[in-house]
Amino acid sequence: AKDTGRNNYQFFTDDINQKLVTHLDLVRDLRLAISNEEFHLVFQPQLCLNSYKLTGFEALIRWTCPKRGFVPPDQFINTAEDTGLIIPIGRLVISKACEQLKSLIQEQLVADNVVMTVNISAKQFQDESLISHIKDELQRNNIPAHQFEIELTESILMENIDEVIIKLKQIQQLGILISIDDFGTGYSSLGYLKQLPVNIIKVDRSFVSDIPESKDDMEITAAVIAMAHKLNYLVVAEGVETQEQLNFLRSCKCNYGQGYLFSKPLASQDLLAFCKNYSAT
Ligand code: C2E
Ligand code: CA
Ligand code: CA
Ligand code: CA
């Protein structure tokens, strides 16, 4: 019995050690990725569901590690967040997103109300220099503030409400748009969010993906859109994959859509081709 106990303990510590080594390994590779510029962005188009005009793009980070190969964001954003590495990574995302929009504007491939939106994590939102960095990048790339948007999750907005409101107001006063990402997956209500200066609600993909199979999800989606409109928010549906989902969202008067039905996230050169094609048709 003693031996088994010792073995279990051994397994337990081995397991912890293994996790720690894996974690430290990832942290080291992430640091290298920053200095070796292994990140790039892809951009997913957003469309108006009424006119089908192109209204914007969401910038999404991609990491190709020489050792690990392609690593999806879900596998490193949390670690980047925990270690603070999300700050330099996030700055890089903002810079690259602004540069991409600048070149689309210069090439006259987009209308002057097309919006570039970036994901902002909790640590990044708390960072004192976030606002001045965004301001600098907009200026450097000649981008009007109304063509830039930040996406925040509900959980970011649930903490320190007073501080959050002050910061959101500062951002909104600059003319930058603010959206709530993954709406419906957290515990906040639209009533709570009503206190916050936010322009746009992004209905989470998990509600859209089971339309039309799940009648519950259809009712929830319809109710969220109707309520959001009553509270003067614009609504984006995420993860639109089928014509049926699109038809349903249009019947709910959802303003914008994003998803594989319209386009996958596109690398820079494919984005140029998409915009050329799109403005031609
Ligand atoms: P998110 O912000 O909810 O981004 C949408 C995700 O859904 C993206 O995954 C996108 O590729 C995927 N997607 C878009 N349309 C469809 C569709 O029709 N069907 C399906 N099945 N998926 C679709 P991705 O790029 O793997 O990003 C995952 C998450 O990683 C993002 O979720 C976001 O939370 C985070 N992330 C990505 N880029 C950044 C970044 O630059 N900064 C931060 N802080 N987080 C990021
Ligand atoms: Ca997002
Ligand atoms: Ca989302
Ligand atoms: Ca997400």
Side-chain angles (χ1 to χ4, degrees), residues 41 87-103 105 116 118 120 124 129-145 147-148 150 174 176:
L41 299 185
I87 304 286
I89 294 173
R91 290 172 76 94
L92 195 143
V93 169
I94 292 166
S95 302
K96 283 185 190 284
C98 288
E99 285 163 13
Q100 180 64 72
L101 182 57
K102 178 197 184 165
S103 80
I105 292 171
M116 179 64 75
V118 299
I120 302 289
Q124 239 185 315
S129 65
L130 173 71
I131 297 177
S132 66
H133 181 245
I134 293 176
K135 257 166 86 175
D136 289 350
E137 286 304 311
L138 292 179
Q139 226 157 45
R140 187 172 71 86
N141 293 288
N142 252 314
I143 293 168
Q147 285 184 263
F148 193 76
I150 59 169
L174 294 172
I176 294 164

Side-chain angles (χ1 to χ4, degrees), residues 44 58 61-62 73-74 93 119 181-182 205 239 241 259-260 265:
Q44 190 173 35
E58 177 175 4
I61 196 165
R62 294 292 176 262
D74 290 333
V93 169
N119 294 283
D181 204 359
D182 305 341
R205 187 174 79 218
E241 292 185 355
Y260 295 165

Side-chain angles (χ1 to χ4, degrees), residues 170-215:
Q170 285 174 334
I171 294 168
Q172 216 176 36
Q173 264 159 19
L174 294 172
I176 294 164
L177 299 164
I178 303 169
S179 62
I180 299 182
D181 204 359
D182 305 341
F183 185 79
T185 57
Y187 294 96
S188 58
S189 64
L190 279 171
Y192 171 85
L193 296 175
K194 192 56 207 152
Q195 310 173 67
L196 307 172
V198 164
N199 315 86
I200 302 149
I201 302 277
K202 295 191 81 175
V203 177
D204 191 63
R205 187 174 79 218
S206 57
F207 295 105
V208 177
S209 63
D210 290 332
I211 296 172
E213 290 78 22
S214 165
K215 301 298 163 215

Side-chain angles (χ1 to χ4, degrees), residues 122-172:
K123 271 248 175 69
Q124 239 185 315
F125 187 68
Q126 288 154 10
D127 176 23
E128 290 297 321
S129 65
L130 173 71
I131 297 177
S132 66
H133 181 245
I134 293 176
K135 257 166 86 175
D136 289 350
E137 286 304 311
L138 292 179
Q139 226 157 45
R140 187 172 71 86
N141 293 288
N142 252 314
I143 293 168
H146 72 267
Q147 285 184 263
F148 193 76
E149 177 182 322
I150 59 169
E151 299 191 5
L152 305 166
T153 56
E154 289 169 65
S155 58
I156 296 177
L157 303 172
M158 297 287 282
E159 282 171 43
N160 296 322
I161 177 105
D162 296 335
E163 273 173 51
V164 165
I165 289 177
I166 290 170
K167 203 148 205 178
L168 291 177
K169 281 192 175 148
Q170 285 174 334
I171 294 168
Q172 216 176 36

